[in-house]
Amino acid sequence: MNDELSEAYWAGAANGELVLQRCDSCGLVRHYPRILCANCYSFDWSSVVAEPAGTVYSWTICHHVFDPSVTSEIPYTLVTVDMTAGVRMLGRFESDAPPAPRQAVTLAFRASDGGRPVPVFTPATI
Amino acid sequence: MSLRYKAAVAGIGETRYEKASPKSALHLQFEASLAAIEDAGLDPKSIDGIIPIGITGAPAEEYVANFGLTDLRFSALIPHGGASGIGALQCAAAAIAAGLCTTVLVPSGRNVSSGARAGVRIHQMPQFRFVTEFERPIGAIAPAQLYAPMARRHMNMYGTTSEQLAEIAVTTRAHARLNDNAIMTKPMTIEDHQQSRMITDPFRLFDCSLESDGGAAFVVTSAERARDLRQPVVELLGSAMGHPDSPSSLTQRAELTHLGIAKAARLAFEMAGVGHDDIDVAEIYDCFTWVVLCQLEDMGFCEKGEGGDFVSGGRLGLDGALPTNTHGGLLSQAHMLGINHIVELVRQLRGHGDRRQVSGASVGLATGYGDMGDGGLAIMAAAR
C-alpha cells in the first residue's frame, strides 16, 4: 500500500533512484516518510534524489524460512546502512564475503516478484 | 507523588502453558483471571478496574459481560507489546493511588497455535506499519530478524559472543526444569546451544523464545487493603516506562544497543528507594537471549558492553549474584507476554517459589520489552 507520503520513494525506487523526503523549512532529510518534521514541526516537504551510497551499520544473515516466498533465497543477508544523505536504510547485502562494520556500500534497486523494488547493497568499488 | 507503598499485587493466576491448547484465547484469559482473583481471596464481582493486554484481544467489556460486573470504574489499554504488563501494573497502581478504583484485574491469554505465527502477527499491528511497508518486502519478516542486528551491533562494538548468549539460555532452561508449569524441560548445555540451528545470525534456535498457548493474570489493590486479603503482601516500590528514540522501526534508531528501559531504570530505582545491590531476584523479559543482556546493561547492573561477562559463570542462576528468570522465562517456560514474569516475581517475594525459590528473596524486579524497544520495570518487595 503506497500512500501520498511514500509514493515518491517507491516511484524513485522503480526507476533505480533513492528518493527521500526533505523538509522545506529546515532542510532535514528523513526516512521513512512521515507527515511531520521531527526537527522543526513543518508539514511541508519535497522529494530529493539522494546519493546511493553509505556505510554498513549492522546486519543479520537469515537462515530460517519465515515465509515461503523467501525459500529459494536462503541464506540471505539483511544489512542496515548509514546513507551519506544522513538516513539509515535496510536492504539486502550481496557479496562473496559477509559485511563488515563501516564497510562502504553502493545501493541499487532490483525488481521483485512481490512488486516492491528491493534495495540491494554491494561493496563499493573504488 | 510517588507510587511507592501505594499498591500491591494481591492475586496471581496462570493456566497450564502448552504448545497447543484446545481452549480459545478468551477461555484462557478467563481461566487465568479467575485463578488470580481466587488466589487473592476475592469475589470476581469485586473487580472495579480492568487493564487488558491489548494484543491479546479481549476488551474490558468482555469481562463486564462474563463476570457480571456491575461497577467497573476504570479501564485502560496499554499498547506496548511485551512491555504492556509492566505498563498495566504501573497504570493500575496510579489509578488506585488516585482513588479511581480499588481492585484492578490485569488479564492476558492467547492461543497462537490456532492462528498466525509472530512473523505474520506483527504485520497486523499499526506500530509496525513502516516495517510492513519498507522492510518486509526485503525479507525482514519476523521479530528475530529485526532484533538480530541489535545483537550483531553489540557483538561488533563490545566483543559479546554467542557463548555468552548461551549462558542465558542454559541458565533459564535449568530454572524451567524446576518449574512444573514450563513447556521446555529438556536439559541444555552451552554445547547444545551452539549446536542448535541458526535462525538469523547471530540468533540460534535456543536464543529465541517460544510460541505458547495459555493465560496469566494478576490483581492489583491498595497496599493497605492487601493486608486484609489472603496472601503474603507484595508491594510495588517503584515503576517507570521508557521509549527509545525514533521508534518507527529498529533500523531507523540512531543507536541499536540501547532500549527504552535505559531511560526508565533510574526513575524506577529512585522511586523505589533501593539500589541494584538490594535486588534479590530479577524476572527480565527474554524474547531473545540478547535482550536480557542489553536490559541488564541498560538498567545499570553493569556498564554498557559488559553484559557478556555479567551473565557468564552461572551468575544468573538461583545461587548466583542475580538470580534471573527463575520460572524459565519466555525462552523455556512459555511466551506469556511477560505477565508470567510479574506472576513469578510475586511468587518469589511471597516465598512460594517451591524448588526454585531464591533463598531470602525480599526485593526484586520484573521488566517488560515490547515492539520497537518500549521498555519498563517494576520493583517490588515483600511487605515488612
Side-chain angles (χ1 to χ4, degrees):
Chain A
M1 169 195 74
N2 295 358
D3 60 22
E4 60 184 17
L5 293 172
S6 58
E7 200 174 344
Y9 170 84
W10 290 113
N15 288 327
E17 287 186 326
L18 175 60
V19 174
L20 301 174
Q21 274 184 313
R22 182 179 181 277
C23 175
D24 286 346
S25 175
C26 75
L28 188 73
V29 174
R30 62 182 189 254
H31 194 57
Y32 300 130
R34 291 189 296 271
I35 292 173
L36 192 63
C37 175
N39 182 49
C40 73
Y41 313 119
S42 170
F43 289 91
D44 300 323
W45 54 271
S46 303
S47 294
V48 292
V49 177
E51 187 185 15
T55 55
V56 169
Y57 177 81
S58 193
W59 65 89
T60 182
I61 302 169
C62 309
H63 295 265
H64 181 75
V65 178
F66 284 106
D67 186 271
S69 63
V70 297
T71 305
S72 64
E73 302 175 47
I74 294 292
Y76 59 89
T77 301
L78 296 172
V79 68
T80 44
V81 175
D82 287 322
M83 304 302 291
T84 56
V87 303
R88 185 169 291 157
M89 284 187 71
L90 184 75
R92 290 288 184 96
F93 178 83
E94 295 184 354
S95 174
D96 294 337
R102 293 178 297 282
Q103 180 179 7
V105 289
T106 303
L107 169 67
F109 287 93
R110 182 173 66 207
S112 75
D113 296 341
R116 289 283 195 214
V118 173
V120 179
F121 290 93
T122 51
T125 51
I126 302 159
Chain B
M1 194 177 87
S2 159
L3 295 176
R4 190 183 187 200
Y5 298 136
K6 293 293 197 319
V9 177
I12 53 176
E14 291 174 302
T15 67
R16 290 297 300 175
Y17 294 131
E18 301 176 83
K19 286 180 179 170
S21 169
K23 298 171 183 171
S24 71
L26 196 58
H27 182 125
L28 293 162
Q29 290 173 43
F30 289 157
E31 194 177 315
S33 297
L34 291 171
I37 294 165
E38 166 68 20
D39 179 68
L42 291 167
D43 185 291
K45 290 193 167 45
S46 67
I47 298 297
D48 62 2
I50 293 180
I51 307 177
I53 301 303
I55 54 177
T56 63
E61 284 80 355
E62 287 280 9
Y63 292 84
V64 174
N66 283 281
F67 290 176
L69 304 184
T70 56
D71 195 19
L72 186 72
R73 300 176 182 187
F74 180 83
S75 69
L77 206 54
I78 310 291
H80 302 317
S84 300
I86 300 295
L89 174 56
Q90 180 192 54
C91 184
I96 291 163
L100 304 180
C101 57
T102 66
T103 312
V104 179
L105 171 68
V106 180
S108 74
R110 54 188 193 167
N111 184 315
V112 295
S113 65
S114 63
R117 295 185 70 80
V120 174
R121 294 197 305 271
I122 63 166
H123 298 290
Q124 299 162 349
M125 298 160 69
Q127 60 269 46
F128 278 86
R129 67 185 176 90
F130 287 117
V131 177
T132 302
E133 179 174 359
F134 291 94
E135 303 184 356
R136 199 196 177 291
I138 305 171
I141 298 157
Q145 294 167 306
L146 306 179
Y147 300 157
M150 303 163 82
R152 173 53 60 195
R153 167 80 175 165
H154 198 274
M155 290 173 159
N156 287 340
M157 289 182 78
Y158 304 113
T160 308
T161 66
S162 175
E163 288 82 358
Q164 290 170 329
L165 301 184
E167 294 263 2
I168 296 168
V170 167
T171 302
T172 308
R173 177 61 59 85
H175 296 164
R177 287 171 50 74
L178 301 173
N179 186 347
D180 293 334
N181 192 17
I183 291 175
M184 301 297 284
T185 55
K186 192 179 164 193
M188 187 197 297
T189 65
I190 300 284
E191 183 62 17
D192 292 334
H193 173 281
Q194 293 294 294
Q195 293 299 320
S196 69
R197 68 190 171 90
M198 191 65 84
I199 299 296
T200 185
D201 179 87
F203 289 155
R204 295 181 175 279
L205 180 64
F206 290 165
D207 290 306
C208 303
S209 53
L210 309 172
E211 291 255 39
S212 320
D213 293 353
F218 57 90
V219 176
V220 188
T221 189
S222 70
E224 185 183 7
R225 179 154 173 262
R227 284 169 167 74
D228 296 329
L229 298 180
R230 180 177 286 166
Q231 300 292 347
V233 178
V234 175
E235 294 174 300
L236 180 66
L237 297 187
S239 177
M241 298 286 287
H243 301 267
D245 298 337
S246 187
S248 59
S249 153
L250 294 165
T251 61
Q252 297 302 305
R253 187 160 312 147
E255 177 51 61
L256 285 186
T257 57
H258 292 81
L259 307 174
I261 199 171
K263 298 178 184 178
R266 183 179 55 81
L267 299 173
F269 275 100
E270 280 179 8
M271 185 188 290
V274 301
H276 293 77
D277 291 344
D278 296 316
I279 302 298
D280 301 315
V281 58
E283 313 298 352
I284 300 178
Y285 198 86
D286 55 335
C287 48
F288 299 96
T289 50
W290 178 81
V291 172
V292 175
L293 186 154
C294 186
Q295 289 176 90
L296 286 165
E297 295 175 349
D298 283 345
M299 286 191 286
F301 282 97
C302 59
E303 294 294 316
K304 182 54 69 179
E306 293 179 357
D309 285 339
F310 187 88
V311 303
S312 294
R315 299 184 78 248
L316 303 186
L318 294 182
D319 299 321
L322 185 67
T324 295
N325 292 349
T326 48
H327 52 331
L330 308 180
L331 290 169
S332 284
Q333 188 201 22
H335 196 318
M336 208 41 58
L337 304 159
I339 305 296
N340 50 330
H341 291 56
I342 296 169
V343 165
E344 174 69 6
L345 177 60
V346 171
R347 195 175 272 135
Q348 288 282 337
L349 295 175
R350 286 177 179 176
H352 295 175
D354 195 24
R355 290 186 295 159
R356 60 183 193 278
Q357 178 65 43
V358 174
S359 176
S362 63
V363 180
L365 63 78
T367 80
Y369 168 92
D371 295 346
M372 301 299 175
D374 307 326
L377 69 161
I379 300 171
M380 292 195 264
R384 291 156 297 174

